[in-house]
Amino acid sequence: MTGLLFVLVGAFLSIFDQFVINVSAYQIGRDLGASSVQLEAVISGYAFVYGLGLITGGRIGDRFGRRRVYRTGLMMFAMTSLCCGLAGTATQMVAARLGQGLSGAVMVPQVLALIRVNYLGEERTRALSWFGISLGLGQVMGQVFGGMIPSLDVLGLGWRPIFLINVPVCLLAWLGCGRWLVHDQGAPAVRMDTLGVILFAASVVLLFVPLLDPIRLERFPAGVVLLAAGGTFIGLFIYHEHAAAVRGSVPLIPYRLFKSSGFVLGVFLNGALYIGIIPFFFLLGLYFQSIVHLTSWQSGLFFVPIGIGFVVASVLGPGIMRAISAPLVLVAGSATSAAGLGIVMVLVSLGAARGWAFLAPLFVFGFGNGSILPIVTGVVLRHLPVRDAGAGSAILTTAQQLFGAVGVAITGSMMSNAGTLGATPSDYVEALFFQEISILAALAFAAMLLRSQSRSRDPVDGGTG
């Protein structure tokens, strides 16, 4: 499994660069003279383009071969990271971050697809365990290094090394994949659904713009018109995909994937988790700095217990799955995450001003997440035919990113009335309650998955059909 290390570099970097910007954004904006709109684009533009392009990136991997496309994505990520590190103006930084998001959309779908294609049985379980570890490390190291590196000011470069470090890492992974991964030819029969790509992108953009800026678009007719247009494009996309399937051509999203209850419930379980997890990191970082009065570096360090819990659960995952069923682990993990988040919410409601009080519940929260994400990913992968591994993996990752973006937008709108810097503990409690509801929704999906798996069996590993 030597090649797995180099495959997981893509998963780690995609998460690391999504979280590292949270803590360092203020200094980047100040040094480059960025406006509030430009700074928002630096933070959210990466995730938006990344989420938007994942399904297309997955299909490209299915068509041209996952190893080849993954290595291409690594080189693209290295070049765009270099552009981020060398950016001299806010406009250049925005363009480079959008390019990073596009690179991630090419690179990341191939990670799960390569695991799906190259590993079976117990090896796949171990590979997914390490996949979970890479995600947990990416989240925590992004938060920690985002505050630490600018503070160290190595060689007077300030925040720039947070991007420049990606370059040698990507090059090393590129070489390792060429040496240790078996080349797959791809499927020449797979054709890109260009119209489907356009319709999907248009629908997502039109639906998300009102969410990203609800204050400016709350008046009729701007927000209503955009939502209506987005709904129309979704309808056109569904009609086009159905027509493509009837004609016998290859749609962007294969309908046959949604015949599996395990795949559908797994995707929605991931979505419910990410709508709460992604904004939680941003929100708690703000709380530590504005209420507990920690520095950005100290605030980042308090996320370490989440990462430790995530890694411990990911390491123990294969052994736990041998003892009890995967859906039962998902139910227990979701309940654990909800408990950890609930304790954090109580501490915030009591106005806890000592950071150490959060250490235990944050570990519990991280342990619950580490119990869920690698296992539910395995549930989804088991129901993917090999020929649709790229598209199916991309659907899963797209759901994570887009639901996470919805969570950030809703949380941001809840906090905007008070202003994030002037928010009181009660404002944070309200936002945390929304995230608690999303984790409880994940618990409900996990229970549905447990019931579905106990009553019937979906085909495992899907063959080639």
Side-chain angles (χ1 to χ4, degrees), residues 30 64 69 78 82 198 323 368 428:
R30 184 190 63 189
F64 295 103
V69 175
L82 180 63
I198 294 172
Y428 285 99

Side-chain angles (χ1 to χ4, degrees), residues 51 53-59 109 112 384 388-399:
L54 281 166
I55 295 177
T56 303
R59 265 312 189 203
L112 287 177
L384 288 181
D388 295 322
S393 301
I395 291 170
L396 175 64
T397 314
T398 299

